[in-house]
Amino acid sequence: METSIQIEVRPTEIDVMGHVNNAKYLEYMEWSREDWYNKANLPFDTFTEMNIGTVTVHIAINYRKEARLGEKLTISTKPLRKGRTSYVLEHVITNEQGERVADAEVVSCTIDLTARKSVPIPETLARQFEG
């Protein structure tokens, strides 16, 4: 399942170069990831009830085009692949012209919240990666 959110670039997200600060793109992706979990019926509470947490362990991001104040951006999220304890979500940020502003692959791992060690991906999450 692919989901997307839309945002408008705010003044607090602009750096001295007059465009969106690189760290803000990670926030945009985090907001979209949270939306993806919710639309997949996997809100934070569901994981907590299973005593499972999701931890971001690696992000590979490409900055393709600058975004500026007031621009409307779409951030899309979709599952790419999964392993035994980790999985990859892809984020793509586009502007109103449909141009790719940034993209990233985010690797997350599922952990036992008590032991703080990795555990196999729960079936409810694993199903999101099926055809």
Side-chain angles (χ1 to χ4, degrees):
M1 167 185 61
E2 182 172 348
T3 62
S4 63
I5 62 169
Q6 293 186 329
I7 60 110
E8 184 172 330
V9 176
R10 300 172 293 194
T12 56
E13 298 162 355
I14 302 299
D15 64 19
V16 296
M17 295 294 295
H19 57 216
V20 173
N21 179 276
N22 66 292
K24 295 298 178 179
Y25 290 98
L26 296 174
E27 285 186 42
Y28 298 163
M29 291 174 186
E30 184 176 6
W31 299 341
S32 186
R33 199 160 49 253
E34 185 72 20
D35 179 70
W36 181 85
Y37 285 121
N38 289 336
K39 287 178 179 164
N41 293 317
L42 292 167
F44 180 76
D45 293 346
T46 299
F47 285 108
T48 303
E49 289 168 7
M50 293 185 285
N51 195 42
I52 290 178
T54 61
V55 179
T56 299
V57 295
H58 180 75
I59 298 176
I61 187 167
N62 300 297
Y63 301 97
R64 309 263 184 206
K65 185 173 183 60
E66 68 180 351
R68 300 179 67 100
L69 180 64
E71 283 191 59
K72 291 177 179 59
L73 303 175
T74 299
I75 303 95
S76 299
T77 301
K78 70 177 181 181
L80 282 187
R81 58 189 174 276
K82 68 175 178 60
R84 190 178 75 78
T85 63
S86 65
Y87 57 97
V88 181
L89 297 177
E90 177 186 52
H91 298 290
V92 175
I93 300 176
T94 55
N95 61 21
E96 293 174 272
Q97 294 74 39
E99 299 167 315
R100 190 173 285 216
V101 173
D103 54 69
E105 289 191 8
V106 177
V107 181
S108 296
C109 182
T110 49
I111 66 165
D112 178 294
L113 290 174
T114 305
R116 310 304 275 190
K117 302 281 185 191
S118 63
V119 294
I121 296 170
E123 183 57 35
T124 52
L125 176 56
R127 277 195 296 265
Q128 301 302 316
F129 293 82
E130 296 172 356

